[in-house]
Amino acid sequence: MIKELQGFFDRVISVKLPENREYVDIIDQTLLPNEEKRIVLRTREEIWEAIKKLRVRGAPAIGVCAAYGMAVLANQYSAETYEDFSKAFMADKDYLASSRPTAVNLFWALDRMGKVVEENSSMPLDQLKDRLFDEAKAIQEEDIQISRNIGEIGFQLMEGLKKPGQPLGIETHCNAGTLATAMYGTATAPMYTALDKGWKPEDMHVYCDETRPLLQGARLTAYEMNKSGIPTTVECDSMCSILMQSGKIQIIFVGCDRVARNGDAANKIGTSTLAIVAKHYNIPFYVCAPSSTIDPEAKDIHDIPIEFRDPEEIKSEWYAKPMVPAEVEGYNPAFDVTTHDLITGIITEKGLVTGDFEKEFQRLGIF
Ligand code: MRU
């Protein structure tokens, strides 16, 4: 994809493994957009904390970080028998799984790593350690191809809506971009594909919802779009109705953290508001979902666990002084679920899914 941007992608790629394989190297997303700083995670506590505190975040990136994290931890084990190795591995895997509950990619990636251990009980431990690094790398590389496929499908939808001489208005929520994945993002992949296919940056205009309370849209997506040269505007989440009413938005792309069998999709808090408003104004609303985000175990909205976070994120984060009286409670769900009836289509790497989502997922072999 777009050669000129490769330097940027390589610099901010969410998760890297150094050649000595001694630690996981992540860009600390809590410091962006002011500081591009990479940090080192060596211990299970450091990996857990980085996921919990959103230093690494975005469903696919969390999965990649956990996978490399398990490979790095396993490489440190001094166990001499498979039984001891496997016991230590499963304990660390359970520990990392307790960091955040909503993004199914975390559990999907940890289970994939766990399977490598379970299925290779007779392999020499040194070889098994190498196998784990290979699996983590495969998870990361597959995610890059997944973004490319999602980008192609999303771009076709963009082309269908583009009017000559007018930039296509795209709205997105939170960050489902490079920082949230292995390279091109999910919700941003169609924009990068458009550049690849010859669109000029000014052929589109990306409206990034600020995304209260942790500002992933403002701090991360607007930062990525800006670095890519794509004209970008940031608006508060509460402005989505007037923005859509103004006629500036032709299409909405969002990411997701867990999609149930029936198409109900959990994503960053505020996504369902956007979908409800989009339906009102008749604006197509697409969820970009790698099949690793589709949870065959979840029947519908009721099976998706929602993370609740520290109310201080609302009351005092970003402010010089707290903006809510100390005695007042804060309500801070980190995700909401957009029910399938509000979703125009779900873009997976295997195809665009519309209509009866469950049937279509099955047809594509997703579950
Ligand atoms: O709490 P976050 O920042 O991890 O939430 C992330 C999102 O909601 C993303 O939209 C989602 O993980 C998809 S990333 C491709």
Side-chain angles (χ1 to χ4, degrees):
M1 235 182 248
I2 13 133
K3 284 190 210 76
E4 311 81 67
L5 293 180
Q6 200 55 51
F8 170 65
F9 292 142
D10 291 342
R11 201 170 71 237
V12 302
I13 185 171
S14 47
V15 183
K16 285 185 191 172
L17 182 74
E19 275 199 6
N20 64 19
R21 309 195 300 187
E22 285 178 0
Y23 55 85
V24 184
D25 167 336
I26 61 162
I27 183 155
D28 185 345
Q29 299 192 35
T30 63
L31 303 175
L32 288 167
N34 299 312
E35 208 182 331
E36 281 179 12
K37 186 178 169 198
R38 303 201 69 89
I39 59 170
V40 159
L41 313 174
R42 281 179 203 274
T43 65
R44 69 201 296 255
E45 288 77 18
E46 285 168 351
I47 300 164
W48 189 94
E49 193 267 357
I51 297 173
K52 176 81 186 168
K53 292 274 168 70
L54 275 56
R55 299 185 197 290
V56 57
R57 48 141 302 283
I62 293 173
V64 172
C65 180
Y68 275 128
M70 285 311 307
V72 164
L73 294 175
N75 206 29
Q76 296 165 4
Y77 299 157
S78 52
E80 285 177 9
T81 64
Y82 172 80
E83 284 65 35
D84 289 348
F85 180 92
S86 166
K87 211 167 140 200
F89 187 93
M90 296 308 163
D92 281 344
K93 173 177 168 281
D94 289 349
Y95 175 70
L96 293 189
S98 70
S99 55
R100 291 190 79 190
T102 302
V104 75
N105 304 58
L106 172 65
F107 310 98
W108 170 87
L110 287 172
D111 286 348
R112 211 168 131 170
M113 298 298 283
K115 230 184 213 159
V116 171
V117 173
E118 277 162 12
E119 286 173 358
N120 291 289
S121 55
S122 50
M123 191 180 264
L125 293 180
D126 278 351
Q127 254 181 47
L128 182 52
K129 289 176 179 179
D130 285 343
R131 256 303 272 116
L132 286 166
F133 280 111
D134 292 345
E135 191 71 12
K137 191 162 182 248
I139 290 174
Q140 187 174 39
E141 284 174 357
E142 285 164 22
D143 189 65
I144 297 176
Q145 189 53 47
I146 286 168
S147 287
R148 286 180 193 273
N149 293 6
I150 289 175
E152 287 286 336
I153 299 167
F155 171 65
Q156 282 163 27
L157 297 167
M158 285 167 63
E159 274 212 312
L161 293 165
K162 176 89 174 74
K163 296 218 173 80
Q166 280 177 34
L168 184 79
I170 306 163
E171 186 168 356
T172 188
H173 192 75
C174 193
N175 172 266
T178 297
L179 291 159
T181 61
M183 188 76 69
Y184 305 114
T186 56
T188 54
M191 289 75 124
Y192 292 128
T193 304
L195 295 180
D196 236 9
K197 304 263 181 188
W199 278 33
K200 300 201 170 47
E202 52 279 14
D203 288 334
M204 50 194 144
H205 194 114
V206 177
Y207 290 85
C208 303
D209 294 348
E210 172 193 49
T211 316
R212 281 279 295 160
L214 294 181
L215 311 185
Q216 292 93 329
R219 295 188 303 106
L220 309 177
T221 309
Y223 156 83
E224 285 185 26
M225 292 295 101
N226 185 245
K227 291 279 178 194
S228 311
I230 298 173
T232 303
T233 299
V234 171
E235 64 286 336
C236 300
D237 305 348
S238 51
M239 297 164 188
C240 67
S241 177
I242 189 167
L243 178 65
M244 290 188 218
Q245 195 177 43
S246 73
K248 290 184 197 298
I249 306 298
Q250 280 73 55
I251 191 167
I252 298 170
F253 291 122
V254 296
C256 58
D257 286 78
R258 191 185 297 234
V259 180
R261 295 176 74 97
N262 72 341
D264 292 350
N267 191 47
K268 180 50 53 192
I269 191 72
T271 304
S272 69
T273 318
L274 199 64
I276 291 164
V277 177
K279 188 154 190 153
H280 180 77
Y281 293 113
N282 208 16
I283 294 171
F285 180 93
Y286 290 98
V287 172
C288 302
S291 46
S292 55
T293 308
I294 300 166
D295 180 5
E297 307 291 319
K299 197 166 145 281
D300 58 26
I301 183 171
H302 303 292
D303 293 332
I304 302 183
I306 298 293
E307 175 184 18
F308 277 75
R309 295 184 65 86
D310 185 350
E312 287 310 314
E313 290 178 350
I314 299 173
K315 295 171 68 177
S316 53
E317 186 125 13
W318 319 115
Y319 302 123
K321 288 181 188 165
M323 281 296 133
V324 180
E327 305 73 36
V328 174
E329 281 181 19
Y331 176 66
N332 191 15
F335 298 93
D336 59 22
V337 180
T338 303
T339 49
H340 61 279
D341 52 309
L342 299 168
I343 298 171
T344 312
I346 299 181
I347 308 176
T348 78
E349 76 276 16
K350 300 186 178 182
L352 173 65
V353 175
T354 56
D356 184 333
F357 292 114
E358 177 148 12
K359 220 158 127 197
E360 285 298 290
F361 288 148
Q362 273 165 347
R363 188 182 61 80
L364 294 175
I366 291 173
F367 55 72

